[in-house]
Amino acid sequence: MRKRKYITLLLLLIALIVSSDAKAQDIPVRRTPSGIIIMGNGGMVRAFEPYSGKIENVMAYSAMVNHYADTFSPDVKVFCMVIPTAVGLYCPDKAKAWTKDENTNGNAMIKALSDKVTAIDLFPVMRKHLYEPIYSRTDHHWAPLGAYYAAQAFAQAAGVPFMELSQYDKNVIHNYVGTMYRFSKDAFVKRAPEEFVYYTPKGVEYKTTYIKYHLDKGRKKVVGEDAPTVESFFRSYPDGDSHAYLTFFGGDDRTIKVETSTKNNRRLVILKDSYGNAIPGYLFGSFEEIHVIDCRYFTKNITRYVRDNKITDILFANNIIHASLEKTVNSYAQYLRLEN
């Protein structure tokens, strides 16, 4: 009887998922003049960027990760996390002509990694949680919950402890509308605010040291930097503030070091774009130190940095759009060549 009950529940769940997928294909979809894809209407509008990555850039990214593994192994473990964006997970069939397929290039990227690199394929991880709020509807970033599941997958691959979500305080910023309104100028996005939910760890002590960079007028080139300062890792934003994603250490134009009360002689460097900002806050119970370096602003020789800080692990945490850009690969190559 119990077995029959479980089978009935399983069939109902399958029917619900199939029904949800069918309904998803009936949701209205349109494209703005700027190319942003808008799905749905009312309070559940979702906006996302199309993907235009070239396979040759994807292969170059994998080759660069392999080069890092050759440079640092066997003393330093190298991990590569391919992060999908919302279009790779939520794009309905009727809009697929407006974007390239992230899954195809993501799979190619992983297959091109050498045996010295531990690959973390987040596409199946994210699909398991597709009906949870893992990506923002109104911002081009994922949501902090998506980063939590990514950090969990990485911690498992790295063989380090991991704090479950019950060990965090839940914080909510209400009436949040992120960057996709600015990108799309679509009134439906503006009228569909969401909650920005982020999590702060309990039971672990940590200190965050910043080196902030001065940028030129175009905000592309570093022209100077501040002396190291100790500040909070998490920033507080009021309800309705469109900058809520800056909750995580305030932005990209800085390098940070987090010293934690976890003592296991594991010291991590995260090489990232802005998607990576939401990851380190879930790893304070996993690593003794966490260093965060952005793929656009670092100014030091990465080999020397890894040696001087006794780094044991390197994680590439780029979303697939950034991983498909030639300038991202060039930046990582430059970090190996810099003299200072």
Side-chain angles (χ1 to χ4, degrees):
M1 183 63 121
R2 182 177 296 176
K3 183 177 181 181
R4 184 181 301 172
K5 182 180 178 181
Y6 286 152
I7 292 173
T8 301
L9 289 173
L10 179 60
L11 290 173
L12 285 172
L13 179 59
I14 293 172
L16 178 62
I17 293 173
V18 171
S19 174
S20 298
D21 288 343
K23 289 178 180 178
Q25 299 308 319
D26 293 333
I27 294 175
V29 179
R30 61 191 182 282
R31 183 169 51 168
T32 69
S34 60
I36 300 300
I37 300 170
I38 311 291
M39 183 174 73
N41 48 35
M44 295 305 293
V45 162
R46 181 179 294 278
F48 35 72
E49 296 177 281
Y51 172 65
S52 59
K54 298 179 180 179
I55 189 65
E56 55 266 32
N57 291 344
V58 167
M59 294 296 99
Y61 182 87
S62 293
M64 179 52 62
V65 175
N66 292 341
H67 184 36
Y68 268 65
D70 289 337
T71 300
F72 292 106
S73 67
D75 300 322
V76 180
K77 298 178 181 178
V78 176
F79 301 82
C80 184
M81 179 182 287
V82 181
I83 306 175
T85 71
V87 76
L89 298 169
Y90 295 100
C91 187
D93 289 343
K94 64 180 73 174
K96 287 184 177 178
W98 301 336
T99 179
K100 289 186 177 181
D101 182 30
E102 289 190 347
N103 294 264
T104 299
N105 281 8
N107 288 334
M109 186 181 297
I110 288 174
K111 288 180 180 178
L113 294 172
S114 75
D115 293 339
K116 294 180 181 180
V117 179
T118 300
I120 302 162
D121 185 359
L122 288 186
F123 282 88
V125 174
M126 294 295 109
R127 288 192 197 102
K128 289 180 182 178
H129 303 281
L130 208 56
Y131 296 101
E132 300 175 45
I134 56 173
Y135 281 77
S136 175
R137 294 184 295 100
T138 68
D139 194 88
H140 70 285
H141 295 102
W142 54 1
L145 184 61
Y148 167 80
Y149 289 123
Q152 184 181 54
F154 165 62
Q156 183 177 4
V160 293
F162 186 72
M163 295 171 59
E164 299 300 323
L165 209 56
S166 60
Q167 297 173 272
Y168 293 78
D169 286 321
K170 180 180 178 180
N171 308 272
V172 182
I173 299 173
H174 301 278
N175 297 317
Y176 169 64
V177 177
T179 54
M180 296 311 291
Y181 172 63
R182 175 162 52 88
F183 293 173
S184 68
K185 305 299 182 184
D186 189 276
F188 284 94
V189 176
K190 186 177 183 179
R191 294 198 295 263
E194 58 188 318
E195 290 185 341
F196 185 88
V197 181
Y198 67 99
Y199 303 87
T200 50
K202 299 182 291 186
V204 60
E205 298 177 3
Y206 52 94
K207 181 179 77 171
T208 309
T209 302
Y210 290 77
I211 297 177
K212 298 179 183 177
Y213 300 121
H214 303 288
L215 306 181
D216 62 6
K217 291 183 178 180
R219 297 193 59 79
K220 293 184 182 298
K221 183 179 179 181
V222 176
V223 295
E225 64 181 51
D226 291 338
T229 58
V230 176
E231 299 179 25
S232 174
F233 181 90
F234 296 98
R235 309 300 172 93
S236 179
Y237 289 88
D239 288 349
D241 197 311
S242 63
H243 300 93
Y245 193 80
L246 295 180
T247 290
F248 311 106
F249 53 85
D252 299 313
D253 54 351
R254 58 207 64 195
T255 293
I256 72 167
K257 179 177 76 171
V258 182
E259 300 167 88
T260 78
S261 56
T262 301
K263 300 304 176 186
N264 60 358
N265 292 317
R266 296 288 291 272
R267 301 175 188 86
L268 170 68
V269 162
I270 301 177
L271 300 174
K272 58 86 185 177
D273 51 62
S274 58
Y275 267 59
N277 297 9
I279 294 174
Y282 297 115
L283 298 173
F284 294 170
S286 305
F287 289 89
E288 188 168 310
E289 287 184 7
I290 302 171
H291 299 248
V292 185
I293 291 173
D294 195 273
C295 64
R296 293 157 289 188
Y297 304 114
F298 191 59
T299 60
K300 306 294 189 297
N301 178 279
I302 190 68
T303 306
R304 186 175 297 116
Y305 189 94
V306 166
R307 182 193 65 216
D308 291 348
N309 289 283
K310 300 179 180 178
I311 299 301
T312 59
D313 303 85
I314 296 174
L315 170 64
F316 285 84
N318 291 111
N319 73 64
I320 193 166
I321 291 178
H322 259 285
S324 303
L325 295 176
E326 184 178 359
K327 64 180 180 181
T328 300
V329 176
N330 291 341
S331 290
Y332 287 140
Q334 178 72 0
Y335 298 162
L336 289 169
R337 295 192 298 262
L338 287 169
E339 295 297 330
N340 57 328

